[in-house]
Amino acid sequence: MPEPLDAALTEVRALLLDPALTRAVAAGRRRGRRPTVVRAELRPVTLKAGPRIQIATSDGARPYTRNVAPGPEAAVAVDELLAEPFGNWHVETADATLQLRVTKSGEAQVHRAATARRAATPAGNDRAKEYLLDPGDEIFTEIGGSAAKRRQVDAFLRALAATLPDDLTGPLRVVDLGCGNAYLTFAAYRYLTGRGLDVELVGVDVREDQRRRNTELAQRLGWAERVSFVAGTIADAVVDPSPDLVLALHACDTATDEALARAVRWDARWVLAAPCCHHDLARQLRAHPTPAPYELLTRQGILRERFADVLTDALRAGLLRLHGYRAEVVEFVDSQHTPRNLLIRARRTGTGPTDAQRAEYRELVDQWQVTPRLETLLS
């Protein structure tokens, strides 16, 4: 429920001046107003002169960092930042996490959570795993999900963190295609807003009952103004305006191709797609004789299926390169958690393909007598 903004900012101030502060980020802007800096980050540091609060700000062109002493100096600096019309605050202390978003009506949407404490790691063991989104985060109380699913989502978020620039600022529009129960949708929103970004996220799923369920979850979490859902196919669902970032986690078979094709048509800046099953090219491989000298690759059924997986994702990455993206295929989670553990990660460069790249792609599809679904969608 919305809260008075002044009271919420007073609570933020207390956390920012708390000796237990670990990190805070302010970003975004309120309706009709613009702060003098696009982002501010606070964290405790220890210098030769003693403990300090480091305040890093950016005007969008270059960063500026200063260190202030706890006490009156820090209080003045914090009050100056709170006076700025930031649209979002994310504050973490050793004991609590607070997220504040200023609504269009000037009220505060506040989410509070206790910081999960991890058990000490026994001597001789590796240190405890650090999660981008703690498995104890209370959003999982609302959205559910097995431990395996939470590990997959956290691994996907790590790949996302490695894809987005560290200095990314400003509004970010995201779409999650084939969102299903929206585990990734909600987790991505939580993570991205935690970075201080002004995020608007749309989840797309073909089932109307999923849209209703996920919309109700967004309302319970207090995110309904920023996280919305539409029912429709990946290929045809109405998403407007076009997103900056496209996500697709385990969209089955050619649904991944539809997600990649929409991302290309939208000129999305970043794309992360974890493919699921690969039936389309497997069927095409069975329909044609294997070119020499590769008969051994496809003689055994299990090897033919695995080769079809590799060929499908290699051609998807090649097609993205032909359409102005730098694409790579990486493992995003250990295979013990899911056998479908590859991720196509792409960043739009706008660079046109070379003749050699076109020829490389064409030679491969002609040799194997296949027509990738993504090629058909983009032609």
Side-chain angles (χ1 to χ4, degrees), residues 254 257-258 280-281 284 319 371-378:
T254 56
D257 299 296
E258 292 169 356
D280 184 50
L281 251 59
Q284 296 185 46
L319 280 164
T371 303
R373 178 60 177 162
L374 182 58
E375 177 184 330
T376 302
L377 292 169
L378 292 175

Side-chain angles (χ1 to χ4, degrees), residues 264-309:
V264 170
R265 293 196 194 98
W266 280 324
D267 282 331
R269 297 171 65 187
W270 302 281
V271 187
L272 285 90
C276 190
C277 44
H278 298 70
H279 299 311
D280 184 50
L281 251 59
R283 284 191 293 267
Q284 296 185 46
L285 290 176
R286 289 194 296 269
H288 299 288
T290 301
Y294 304 114
E295 290 88 349
L296 285 175
L297 287 176
T298 60
R299 184 168 296 165
Q300 307 296 323
I302 184 62
L303 295 180
R304 183 176 60 244
E305 294 298 318
R306 291 184 179 179
F307 175 69
D309 292 356

Side-chain angles (χ1 to χ4, degrees), residues 73-95:
E73 185 180 7
V76 170
V78 164
D79 288 340
E80 290 174 351
L81 289 174
L82 290 172
E84 294 279 358
F86 288 116
N88 301 280
W89 275 95
H90 177 93
V91 186
E92 299 175 9
T93 72
D95 303 307

Side-chain angles (χ1 to χ4, degrees), residues 153 156-165 168-179 184-193 195 197-204 226 228 234 239-249 258-274 325-326 343-348:
V153 168
F156 198 101
L157 293 180
R158 289 181 182 279
L160 175 59
T163 301
L164 299 178
L168 181 65
T169 60
L172 181 70
R173 184 166 175 83
V174 185
V175 63
D176 182 8
L177 295 174
C179 67
L184 177 61
T185 314
F186 289 116
Y189 181 78
R190 169 72 110 196
Y191 166 69
L192 291 169
T193 55
R195 285 184 52 167
L197 296 171
D198 180 12
V199 179
E200 185 175 352
L201 202 155
V202 178
V204 174
R226 309 298 292 177
S228 60
I234 290 175
V239 178
D240 185 59
S242 299
D244 305 297
L245 169 65
V246 173
L247 309 176
L249 176 59
E258 292 169 356
L260 295 175
R262 290 215 75 177
V264 170
R265 293 196 194 98
W266 280 324
D267 282 331
R269 297 171 65 187
W270 302 281
V271 187
L272 285 90
Y325 285 81
R326 179 179 178 179
L343 177 73
I344 300 173
R345 184 167 62 189
R347 175 176 60 84
R348 181 166 57 82

Side-chain angles (χ1 to χ4, degrees), residues 54-281:
Q54 184 176 91
I55 302 175
T57 57
S58 172
D59 61 5
R62 61 184 182 276
Y64 174 72
T65 301
R66 60 179 173 142
N67 299 306
V68 297
E73 185 180 7
V76 170
V78 164
D79 288 340
E80 290 174 351
L81 289 174
L82 290 172
E84 294 279 358
F86 288 116
N88 301 280
W89 275 95
H90 177 93
V91 186
E92 299 175 9
T93 72
D95 303 307
T97 298
L98 181 145
Q99 288 182 290
L100 181 153
R101 184 180 65 80
V102 182
T103 68
K104 293 179 180 179
S105 61
E107 294 179 298
Q109 286 277 6
V110 183
H111 180 85
R112 302 172 181 86
T115 300
R117 297 183 181 275
R118 300 186 180 91
T121 305
N125 290 352
D126 292 337
R127 64 186 178 87
K129 178 177 177 64
E130 293 183 0
Y131 292 88
L132 287 185
L133 192 61
D134 196 293
D137 193 299
E138 68 177 18
I139 71 162
F140 290 115
T141 303
E142 292 289 346
I143 68 177
S146 65
K149 174 60 71 174
R150 296 183 192 188
R151 283 192 291 268
Q152 289 179 42
V153 168
D154 187 78
F156 198 101
L157 293 180
R158 289 181 182 279
L160 175 59
T163 301
L164 299 178
D166 290 337
D167 59 351
L168 181 65
T169 60
L172 181 70
R173 184 166 175 83
V174 185
V175 63
D176 182 8
L177 295 174
C179 67
N181 285 326
Y183 301 123
L184 177 61
T185 314
F186 289 116
Y189 181 78
R190 169 72 110 196
Y191 166 69
L192 291 169
T193 55
R195 285 184 52 167
L197 296 171
D198 180 12
V199 179
E200 185 175 352
L201 202 155
V202 178
V204 174
D205 195 85
V206 70
R207 292 169 50 182
E208 171 62 24
D209 62 325
Q210 289 282 44
R211 185 200 67 78
R212 292 195 299 269
R213 170 195 176 275
N214 294 337
T215 298
E216 290 171 1
L217 279 174
Q219 291 170 344
R220 290 207 299 269
L221 289 166
W223 296 347
E225 289 189 10
R226 309 298 292 177
V227 181
S228 60
F229 296 89
V230 297
T233 65
I234 290 175
D236 299 320
V238 176
V239 178
D240 185 59
S242 299
D244 305 297
L245 169 65
V246 173
L247 309 176
L249 176 59
H250 292 159
C252 289
D253 197 17
T254 56
T256 294
D257 299 296
E258 292 169 356
L260 295 175
R262 290 215 75 177
V264 170
R265 293 196 194 98
W266 280 324
D267 282 331
R269 297 171 65 187
W270 302 281
V271 187
L272 285 90
C276 190
C277 44
H278 298 70
H279 299 311
D280 184 50
L281 251 59

